[in-house]
Amino acid sequence: FQTDALTEDGLRQQIMVHFPNLLRSMLSLIMSVTGGLDWYQVFKPLMNIGPAYSCAFVFYVLLTVFCIMNVLSAVFVEMAMQIRDRDLLIQAELSKVDSFLKDMTDLFREIDYDGDGQISRD
């Protein structure tokens, strides 16, 4: 059974593990949202310090996760739009080729007076 309360020594130890300096604090925050560290391990000492720190951390986690999801979604949508644009260009080019072939077929049918499938200079 795990309890949320930490003793004073346990709290000091957890703070020194996750927040001894600015660089380690940033690393703990990044690791907590990228899966390198369970975010509850970082949250637990903050929860014992005060609710403002706990709320700030939860806000950070939620904001970061939603921002990352938003950026990833935007990248996928942009890639899909580029693929769609390329497909539309290919379709337009194929339509031009089909139209040209139809026009040329109609032209040769008009030139072929006797309908035998051959044209001559006469």
Side-chain angles (χ1 to χ4, degrees), residues 62-108:
L62 292 174
L63 182 68
T64 304
V65 168
F66 284 125
C67 287
I68 289 171
M69 288 173 43
N70 191 19
V71 167
L72 288 176
S73 297
V75 167
F76 287 128
V77 167
E78 180 64 29
M79 288 174 53
M81 294 297 285
Q82 287 177 358
I83 290 170
R84 185 187 68 97
D85 289 345
R86 188 174 20 161
D87 287 346
L88 289 175
L89 287 173
I90 291 170
Q91 270 185 334
E93 192 63 33
L94 288 174
S95 178
K96 287 180 187 177
V97 169
D98 288 343
S99 176
F100 173 75
L101 289 175
K102 183 183 176 305
D103 290 343
M104 294 308 296
T105 302
D106 292 343
L107 176 68
F108 282 112

Side-chain angles (χ1 to χ4, degrees), residues 101-120:
L101 289 175
K102 183 183 176 305
D103 290 343
M104 294 308 296
T105 302
D106 292 343
L107 176 68
F108 282 112
R109 283 192 182 136
E110 287 179 25
I111 296 173
D112 183 17
Y113 296 113
D114 56 359
D116 65 351
Q118 295 183 1
I119 57 172
S120 63

Side-chain angles (χ1 to χ4, degrees), residues 25-39:
S25 299
M26 290 173 30
L27 182 63
S28 294
L29 291 174
I30 290 170
M31 289 174 68
S32 65
V33 294
T34 58
L37 185 64
D38 184 23
W39 69 268

